[in-house]
Amino acid sequence: MRRTLDKRALGVTALFAAALLLGYARANEPRARFAQAVASLNDADKSALPSAPMLTVANAIWALGSEEAVRKMLRAELDRVPSAEAKARARAFVRFGIIDSNPDGQAAVFFQACVSDPSLCDRGRLIAAAERETQARLVEPGRHLPLYLMSGHPAP
Amino acid sequence: MTRARPLGLIWPYLLAAALGYLLGSIAVPASAALGGGSSNTPLARVGFALRDNPEAPQLAAMLDGDLQAVRSSLAVQEREVFDLVVAVRGLDNGGTSDWNRAERICQALTWPRCDREALTQLKVHSVP
C-alpha cells in the first residue's frame, strides 16, 4: 500500500516538473529569441534601444507633422534629451533652424547645434546635416535649406 | 462506483500537470522583471522592433503587452503618433502595415499629408 502511494507521489511530482518545464519553455520562447537578437548588437546599439520609441515618434512628426506639431516635439526633445546625448540635441537644433523663418533665429539655433555637437561647427558638415533633415521632411515648411545656410553667412 | 475510483486516481496527475504548466508560464515574466537589464524592458523590446531589422516582424508577435506599456508611458499628444507608427510598421499585425488605420490616425492628427505615398515614406523615415 505504502509503495503504491510512493509511486503515485513520484509520478505526480515528475508530471508537475515536466509541465513546469514545458510551461516555462513555451512562455520563454519569444523572449529567448529577442535576447538572442539583442545579443548580436554592439553595446552602443543596445544602450540606444530604450530611446528608440521616442526617437521614432520624433522622426514621424518631423516627416509629416504640421509646423505646430514639429515645434512642440522639438521643445519636448530639448527638454528630454540630456546634454550628454550631443548628436540627438544637435539634430533637434538643426531641425529647429530649418523650420525657423527668421535668419537671425536660424543663426542662433544653428549656433546651439554647434555648441551641442562641435563637428557641426564646420559649415560643410552643418549643411550636410541640414540637407539630410530636409530630405526626411515630406511637407512644408522645412523641405528646403534655410536662407542662412544657402547665403554666404560665416560658420556659426 | 467502479468509475469513481479511476477518476480519483487521475485527478492528482491532472492537477499537477495544470499547476506545473501555469507556474512555468508565470515564471517567465517574473524572472524577466527580477533579472532584466535595460535591454530587456518593454521600451527596449519595442525599440528593437522599431529598428530596421529583418527579424522585427517575427518579434512583433510578442509585443502586444509591450506596445501598451510603451504607449502608456508617452505624453498624450505623442500616443497618437506612436499609434500611427505602429500601424504603418505593422508592429501589432505581424509586420503588415494597416494603411486604413494609419490614414485615419493621420487625419485625426490634422497633418498636412495623409495619402498612401506619404505614409509609405513615413514607414521608412520613422526608423530610428
Side-chain angles (χ1 to χ4, degrees), chain A residues 8 12 15-16 19-20 23-24 26-28 30-31 33-34 37 41 49-50 52-54 56 59-60 64-65 138-139, chain B residues 9 12-13 16-17 20-21 23-24 28 39 43 45 48 50-51 58 62 74 78 85 111-112 121-122 125-128:
Chain A
R8 281 187 66 189
V12 168
L15 190 63
F16 175 80
L20 189 81
Y24 187 86
R26 282 192 64 120
N28 195 44
R31 282 173 198 273
R33 284 179 60 193
F34 169 79
L41 301 176
L49 287 180
M54 278 309 301
T56 305
N59 286 347
L64 279 182
L138 306 173
V139 293
Chain B
L9 292 172
Y13 293 94
Y21 190 84
L23 288 176
V28 172
S39 64
L43 264 177
R45 287 192 290 270
F48 183 79
L50 286 167
R51 287 163 55 98
Q58 288 80 39
M62 64 174 279
L74 296 172
E78 289 161 350
V85 173
W111 280 3
Q121 289 188 62
L122 177 69
H125 288 295
S126 64
V127 172

Side-chain angles (χ1 to χ4, degrees), chain B residues 42-43 46 63-74 82:
Chain B
L43 264 177
V46 172
L63 286 173
D64 272 356
D66 290 341
L67 289 173
Q68 282 308 316
V70 171
R71 189 180 189 277
S72 59
S73 74
L74 296 172
F82 181 71

Side-chain angles (χ1 to χ4, degrees), chain A residues 24-64:
Chain A
Y24 187 86
R26 282 192 64 120
N28 195 44
E29 189 192 350
R31 282 173 198 273
R33 284 179 60 193
F34 169 79
Q36 203 175 13
V38 168
S40 66
L41 301 176
N42 62 40
D43 287 347
D45 284 346
K46 269 184 218 170
S47 62
L49 287 180
S51 58
M54 278 309 301
L55 194 55
T56 305
V57 167
N59 286 347
I61 295 172
W62 177 251
L64 279 182

Side-chain angles (χ1 to χ4, degrees), chain A residues 56-76:
Chain A
T56 305
V57 167
N59 286 347
I61 295 172
W62 177 251
L64 279 182
S66 61
E67 184 178 353
E68 186 194 351
V70 168
R71 285 183 186 279
K72 261 189 204 167
M73 175 272 289
L74 290 174
R75 279 189 208 104

